[in-house]
């Protein structure tokens, strides 16, 4: 019985990607995103911050499905399905994660005061990077001070650090995607596997784990929010 062996560079997967996705790399990212999804879910339930499930957990779940598509491509070289799945999901997956930044900024604004509510969130993040560096340096000097507001300042500082790192990773990934799509579906960037692994997969892994380690359940306690709300109610009553 004669069988026809199709060269790898003539397969549909190679035509779509420009390479064959490495199975081991797919497994690594599947484990990383799957683990982060589980951790985010547990943290969301324990802290009752359920808004993290349709944001962080959803992002990780979509990434798992996207990398599952890449793995499927590596296993079936003549199928287009895996490529279609991964191209859609790896592009859209980080969108829910970005929502966390706006939610956190909203909490920070509520703690800082209503005067910050007029500042656009994007402007708030980008224009305060220098101020954050100064705050970080000043925080060490003030660590031994008997200031009752120091704890609140530390909370704000840590959350802002998380925002800066998370936003940086997402911006790097967004720039990569813009350059990739700018070259078109047959461009060199899209057809280079290591570039995708670093500037898409790794950037989103770092962004998701940023909120695993700098989690709102540790740095944005309900007591702080409740205290802020009660103080605001007292001010309204006195007014």
């Amino acid at each position: 019985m004669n069988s026809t062996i199709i060269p790898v560079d003539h397969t549909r997967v190679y035509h779509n990607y420009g390479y064959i996705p490495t199975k081991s790399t797919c497994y690594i990212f599947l484990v990383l995103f799957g683990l982060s999804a589980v951790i985010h879910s547990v943290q969301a339930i324990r802290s009752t911050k359920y808004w993290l499930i349709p944001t962080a957990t959803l992002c990780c779940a979509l990434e798992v499905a996207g990398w599952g598509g890449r793995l499927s491509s590596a296993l079936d070289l003549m199928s287009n399905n895996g490529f279609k799945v991964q191209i859609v999901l790896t592009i859209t997956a980080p969108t829910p994660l970005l929502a966390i930044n706006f939610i956190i900024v909203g909490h920070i604004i509520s703690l800082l005061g209503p005067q910050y509510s007029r500042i656009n969130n994007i402007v708030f993040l980008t224009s305060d990077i220098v101020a954050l560096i100064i705050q970080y340096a000043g925080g060490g000097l003030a660590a031994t001070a008997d200031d009752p507001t120091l704890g609140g300042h530390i909370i704000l500082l840590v959350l802002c650090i998380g925002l800066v790192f998370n936003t940086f990773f997402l911006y790097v990934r967004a720039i990569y995607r813009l350059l990739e799509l700018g070259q078109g579906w047959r461009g060199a960037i899209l057809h280079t596997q290591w570039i995708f692994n670093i500037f898409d997969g790794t950037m989103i892994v770092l962004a998701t784990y940023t909120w695993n380690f700098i989690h709102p359940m540790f740095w944005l306690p309900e007591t702080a929010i409740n205290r802020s709300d009660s103080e605001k109610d007292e001010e309204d009553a006195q007014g």
Side-chain angles (χ1 to χ4, degrees):
M1 180 177 180
N2 295 329
S3 60
T4 302
I5 299 176
I6 302 176
V8 171
D9 56 354
H10 288 178
T11 62
R12 292 179 180 177
V13 168
Y14 190 90
H15 177 74
N16 291 331
Y17 291 91
Y19 56 85
I20 303 300
T22 304
K23 297 177 186 177
S24 59
T25 301
C26 294
Y27 284 123
I28 290 172
F29 280 104
L30 283 171
V31 171
L32 289 174
F33 282 119
L35 179 60
S36 184
V38 172
I39 296 174
H40 274 301
S41 298
V42 173
Q43 289 175 324
I45 294 172
R46 288 187 58 188
S47 64
T48 68
K49 293 178 172 58
Y50 299 110
W51 48 268
L52 287 165
I53 294 178
T55 53
T57 301
L58 177 59
C59 168
C60 292
L62 293 175
E63 287 286 353
V64 167
W67 281 91
R70 291 178 68 84
L71 179 60
S72 174
S73 295
L75 297 174
D76 186 357
L77 301 184
M78 296 306 297
S79 175
N80 288 324
N81 295 331
F83 177 79
K84 293 178 181 178
V85 168
Q86 69 88 32
I87 199 68
V88 172
L89 295 184
T90 58
I91 288 177
T92 59
T95 303
L97 188 67
L98 185 61
I100 295 180
N101 291 6
F102 294 98
I103 295 173
I104 295 296
V105 169
H107 286 309
I108 291 176
I109 290 175
S110 69
L111 291 173
L112 290 176
Q115 66 271 22
Y116 287 91
S117 63
R118 299 180 181 87
I119 301 178
N120 181 271
N121 286 340
I122 299 297
V123 175
F124 179 88
L125 289 176
T126 55
S127 64
D128 276 6
I129 291 178
V130 175
L132 289 174
I133 297 174
I134 297 173
Q135 290 176 26
Y136 182 76
L141 298 176
T144 57
D146 295 328
D147 187 351
T149 63
L150 180 59
H153 291 163
I154 293 175
I155 290 173
L156 292 175
L157 174 60
V158 174
L159 286 174
C160 287
I161 290 174
L163 283 170
V164 170
F165 276 100
N166 190 273
T167 303
F168 171 77
F169 297 139
L170 292 176
Y171 275 165
V172 170
R173 183 262 182 187
I175 292 172
Y176 155 72
R177 282 296 191 177
L178 287 174
L179 295 175
E180 175 195 58
L181 297 178
Q183 287 189 348
W185 298 110
R186 294 290 175 262
I189 295 178
L190 188 145
H191 284 181
T192 305
Q193 182 171 202
W194 70 265
I195 296 179
F196 177 85
N197 292 341
I198 293 177
F199 292 103
D200 190 284
T202 302
M203 290 299 106
I204 304 305
V205 164
L206 292 173
T208 59
Y209 277 93
T210 294
W211 291 126
N212 282 135
F213 289 102
I214 307 178
H215 195 272
M217 71 181 290
F218 303 117
W219 302 106
L220 194 63
E222 294 295 335
T223 54
I225 299 176
N226 293 339
R227 181 168 62 252
S228 177
D229 292 340
S230 62
E231 290 176 355
K232 191 179 300 183
D233 293 340
E234 290 179 3
E235 293 177 358
D236 293 340
Q238 292 176 358

